[in-house]
Amino acid sequence: MNEKTAPSNSPAKSSKPCVMCEKPAVEKYLPFCSKRCADLDLGKWLNGSYAIPVIEEDGGQLDDSDPE
């Protein structure tokens, strides 16, 4: 008999909590505890709440001169 293994909704083997709400993370949604927490995190990325800082050198001006 060939059975497919369904993703588990049980707590993950990892001891790390959900990164959004601190509840135990669930294997199916790692590193989150639920689809809701995963969606909340995605929303923060999409609306710009999370951003990777950029350090601009030389005042951020592009140099248009030829390097010849």
Side-chain angles (χ1 to χ4, degrees):
M1 192 195 259
N2 188 4
E3 294 181 27
K4 291 184 180 180
T5 305
S8 173
N9 285 340
S10 61
K13 293 176 185 174
S14 171
S15 62
K16 292 183 180 181
C18 173
V19 296
M20 292 299 291
C21 70
E22 303 293 320
K23 292 180 183 175
V26 173
E27 187 174 336
K28 181 177 179 181
Y29 301 108
L30 278 177
F32 308 101
C33 68
S34 65
K35 183 173 181 342
R36 179 182 181 275
C37 281
D39 289 345
L40 288 172
D41 184 71
L42 178 60
K44 286 187 172 195
W45 281 104
L46 295 176
N47 75 19
S49 293
Y50 293 148
I52 298 171
V54 175
I55 299 172
E56 295 184 15
E57 297 178 13
D58 300 331
Q61 300 295 321
L62 295 177
D63 185 13
D64 291 337
S65 63
D66 291 331
E68 295 177 18

